Every structure is written in C-alpha cells, then in structure tokens.
Amino acid sequence: MGRSLFTSAVAFAVMLSALAAVPAQSEEYRLGTMDKLRIRVVEWQTAEGAVRDWPTISGDYTVGPSGNISLPFVGEMPANGKTTSEIADVISEELQQKFGLLDRPDTSVELAEFRPVFISGDVQTPGKYPYAPDLTVLKAVSLAGGMRRAADAGQRIERDFINARGNYDVFVSERSGLLAKRARLIAEAAGQEEIEFPKELQETAEGRKLIADETAFKAARETRLRVQLSAIEDLKSLLQNEVASLEKKIASQNRQMELSRNELKGIGNLADQGLVVNARVLSIERAIAELEGKVLDMETAALRAKQDISKATQDATTLQNDRDAEIAQERQAAEAEIEKLNLKIAMYRDLMAEAMAQDPQAALSTGGDASPAISFSIVREEGEKTKEMAADENTPVLPGDVIKVGIAPVPAN
C-alpha cells in the first residue's frame, strides 16, 4: 500500500516538474528542414516500480529535406511545421500502440540545434552559420567576419569597427545572460526568496526579460524540489502509521498468546490425570503456534516498513545534496565563463576605440558621401512562399533565413 502511494506521488511530482520547466511563449517554435532534435524516451513500469530507458530510440535526429524524421519502430513521421511537444505526443502514442504498453512512454523532444542561417553578399566569409537565439543582422554579419575588405583605408576601418562592434554586442549579450543566471544560482544556494540582479540588467529591455526568465526558472525548480520532498514525507508518514498499527496488533497477539499459555498451564495437570481430553490440549497448543506465526509475520512487516522509512529519509537527503552540488557546479562554470567574456569584451572595446582614434568619421558614419552605404535584406520562407524584406542591423533573424548584405560604392565627387 505504501509503495503504491509513493509511486503515484513521485509520478505526480515528475509531471509537475515537467510542466514547470516549460517556458512560457506566445508562439511555439515550428520545426523546419535541417533542425536537429534530441529525443529521449523513458517508460514507467508500474509492475516493477522502475523507470526503463529506451536507448534504441533516444538520440539526435535531423529533419530531412522531405520535412520528416525517421525513428526506429516509428518509421517516417512528418516534422516540418510541427512543435517539439507535438512530435513528443506522436512518438509516445505510436510506441504505446505498437507494443501494446499498459503505461504510455514519456517522450522528451528538445531542439538540439536550430537550422542554420545563410549570409551572402559583401561579407568577409559568406556561407552557412549556426543559428543562436536573439540573433540579429549585425550579430550575423559579425559571424561572417564582418564586412568585405576594401582597398580604401576608410572602408577597412569602418569594416573593422563594425566587426568589432558586432562581436562586442554578441559577447555583451552572452555575459548578461550569465550574470542573470549567476544571480539566480546565488539566491538558490543561500535559500533566498528574492534574487538580487545586477543593476545593469534592470536598465535594458533585454536585461528585464532575462530577469523574468531566471525568476520563473527559479520558481519552477523550487516547486519541483518541494513536490518531490513532499512525496517522500507523505510516504514516511504512511509507513510510520503502518508501523504503529503493526505494533498494536503485535501487542494484541502477544496478549492472546499469554492467555492461551495460562490456559494450557491450568489444564496441563488435569490432562496428565486424564480429567481433560488430549484434543483440548492440542487445540490450545495449535492456537498458540498460529499466534506465534502471525506475530513473527507482523514483526517482519514492521521491520521492513522501518527500513523503508530510513531509505526515504536518505532519498530526501540525497535529493537535497544533489541539488546543492548542481547549483555549486553551475555557479562555478558561470563564473569562469563570465571571466572569459570580460576579457573578450575588453578586447573588442579596445578595437573599437582604436578604429575611432584612427578615423572617427569612417568608424562612426552610417552613410552619405563620406562612406559606403550598407544595405541589408532578409529572404525568409513563409509557408510555401519565399519573401524578401528590408532589414537593418537590429532586425531579428530567424532559423533558415538568408541574409543579403550589400555595399553601395562611394559616390564620385
């Protein structure tokens, strides 16, 4: 009984933690060709009370040119235009029906790698580049090595400045994300309800979004841990009640054995004298033996329940210790990465300062007769159609976009 309730409680805790870990989005990402998915399938086996992994299916998959992915046992299935949650539901349903499983397998589908973006035109190294969230046209151009080299010194300085500024913006954005994460980890390690975010994050829209995301993530992690610990405490309470009930039953059985032994002792002499039939004596002895067997079974059950209580206590301690260790490791990694980004940011800040010192007009100009005019456009697939739209440095880039960069020659005087 106790184990069944514990199984239900843990399953409920896992479900809540999974729901809490899903980020709130106004519109879920739709998959497309060349997106890479990381799929993992696990099955909760009710009879054994254990979780079984499906390594044959779990792994990384790429959406092919046909818009499909191919999985063992499931076969070809459409992925183009679908969300990861829709893919997960289809896989779980297909596996349950194919193998006739009592419990539906749990499928986790996450985006391992976005489909790439393509940069063409007057950039240093046109080609295909991996997509990253919050990618803008300026950041994409920096990935391609900045603007194409020109023979004119002014163009070279302007290109170097744009390249340095693009890399600078990329690293500043990454550093902001790590600062928000570090603040959340510090609060979790100290057990603080409120997160003390750096002031610089509170002054920008991107920073405020990072603050909201990390705050929500902290709440989700705390909810998951609280539900898991609560499930363990509920199990311990049930087991303790079971032990108390068994101890009362053992006391009652011992009392009955004591009465039976007294009765047997009282008629023992009479049986020796032939005043009481032996059947009566045998009946009492048989009753005593049955009572002793029941007491032994109940004592064994009580001992097993006490062992389960000790194991549940250890599980709670292990759960908390694992979480503390995870927080410490993540914080250490975040600190190291922040230090690396600080050095890179300082380097590109110096490069921008050097370009401005050499030729401020070339470094800062954005058009006109003194410098080339840079134009950007994005070619994007919308359904079955392709659309080209004008863009600027801050235009967001989506997976699969083609970014066209052009430099108009300097007008002759």
Side-chain angles (χ1 to χ4, degrees):
M1 174 181 175
R3 293 181 182 274
S4 178
L5 289 174
F6 176 62
T7 298
S8 300
V10 170
F12 181 66
V14 172
M15 179 186 69
L16 282 182
S17 63
L19 290 174
V22 177
Q25 296 181 344
S26 58
E27 183 179 353
E28 288 193 75
Y29 178 73
R30 298 286 173 177
L31 300 174
T33 301
M34 298 181 71
D35 277 332
K36 292 185 178 180
L37 304 178
R38 180 164 294 120
I39 299 176
R40 185 185 179 193
V41 179
V42 297
E43 176 192 357
W44 172 256
Q45 297 178 314
T46 303
E48 291 79 7
V51 175
R52 184 182 72 174
D53 198 359
W54 289 53
T56 304
I57 298 180
S58 299
D60 292 348
Y61 298 84
T62 301
V63 180
S66 63
N68 298 334
I69 57 175
S70 179
L71 282 78
F73 306 122
V74 177
E76 292 280 336
M77 61 177 296
N80 197 29
K82 297 184 178 296
T83 65
T84 54
S85 58
E86 290 172 346
I87 296 294
D89 289 339
V90 172
I91 294 174
S92 296
E93 183 176 352
E94 289 288 334
L95 292 177
Q96 184 180 23
Q97 293 181 357
K98 184 175 183 66
F99 294 101
L101 301 175
L102 177 63
D103 295 313
R104 181 176 178 179
D106 288 327
T107 303
S108 169
V109 180
E110 64 176 354
L111 198 60
E113 184 178 324
F114 291 93
R115 53 187 182 272
V117 296
F118 301 86
I119 307 174
S120 65
D122 292 314
V123 291
Q124 184 62 31
T125 52
K128 178 179 70 175
Y129 292 89
Y131 175 83
D134 298 326
L135 187 68
T136 63
V137 169
L138 179 61
K139 294 177 182 179
V141 170
S142 71
L143 293 176
M147 305 305 297
R148 177 175 54 83
R149 291 188 177 92
D152 179 72
Q155 290 182 340
R156 178 185 62 79
I157 294 174
E158 183 177 21
R159 180 214 52 187
D160 292 342
F161 181 84
I162 292 176
N163 185 25
R165 187 174 64 181
N167 285 285
Y168 177 87
D169 290 342
V170 170
F171 293 134
V172 167
S173 178
E174 293 179 2
R175 179 177 176 273
S176 296
L178 288 171
L179 289 176
K181 180 180 180 180
R182 181 179 65 179
R184 188 251 304 165
L185 292 171
I186 292 174
E188 288 181 338
Q192 300 173 350
E193 293 187 6
E194 298 294 332
I195 306 176
E196 297 181 3
F197 291 100
K199 185 177 180 181
E200 61 186 275
L201 296 180
Q202 303 173 20
E203 296 174 347
T204 63
E206 180 183 3
R208 288 189 291 270
K209 182 180 182 299
L210 291 171
I211 290 174
D213 291 344
E214 291 297 334
T215 301
F217 187 54
K218 176 178 178 293
R221 282 162 61 97
E222 289 175 348
T223 299
R224 179 179 59 184
L225 179 64
R226 184 166 57 252
V227 170
Q228 291 173 335
L229 292 176
S230 177
I232 293 175
E233 287 301 319
D234 290 344
L235 172 63
K236 289 173 59 179
S237 178
L238 290 173
L239 292 172
Q240 288 167 352
N241 291 337
E242 183 178 351
V243 170
S245 176
L246 288 170
E247 289 175 347
K248 290 180 181 179
K249 291 181 179 180
I250 291 171
S252 176
Q253 295 291 320
N254 286 333
R255 177 60 179 164
Q256 292 183 33
M257 283 193 296
E258 182 181 356
L259 293 175
S260 297
R261 290 193 181 101
N262 289 337
E263 182 181 1
L264 181 62
K265 182 178 180 181
I267 66 174
N269 295 331
L270 296 176
D272 293 339
Q273 297 173 13
L275 300 178
V276 178
V277 295
N278 290 333
R280 174 63 177 162
V281 175
L282 292 174
S283 176
I284 297 175
E285 290 178 344
R286 188 180 300 110
I288 293 174
E290 290 178 355
L291 290 171
E292 288 176 342
K294 291 180 180 179
V295 169
L296 182 59
D297 290 342
M298 287 186 285
E299 288 177 344
T300 301
L303 179 60
R304 188 180 298 112
K306 291 178 181 178
Q307 291 175 340
D308 289 343
I309 292 174
S310 299
K311 183 179 182 303
T313 302
Q314 182 60 40
D315 289 344
T317 302
T318 301
L319 190 64
Q320 186 66 56
N321 290 341
D322 289 346
R323 180 176 183 271
D324 294 341
E326 179 186 2
I327 291 173
Q329 291 174 357
E330 289 183 359
R331 181 179 174 184
Q332 184 179 14
E335 294 282 4
E337 193 61 29
I338 288 173
E339 288 301 319
K340 292 180 182 179
L341 290 174
N342 285 338
L343 294 176
K344 293 179 180 179
I345 289 171
M347 178 184 69
Y348 284 107
R349 185 189 296 116
D350 293 341
L351 289 174
M352 287 190 291
E354 180 181 356
M356 293 179 66
Q358 292 180 4
D359 190 342
Q361 184 65 29
L364 295 177
S365 60
T366 58
D369 296 337
S371 63
I374 303 174
S375 64
F376 305 103
S377 64
I378 294 178
V379 179
R380 178 173 300 165
E381 292 184 2
E382 296 183 351
E384 298 181 355
K385 298 181 178 179
T386 301
K387 177 182 178 182
E388 182 171 355
M389 64 191 78
D392 57 28
E393 293 179 345
N394 298 317
T395 301
V397 177
L398 299 181
D401 281 355
V402 178
I403 304 167
K404 300 171 67 175
V405 183
I407 301 179
V410 179
N413 293 330

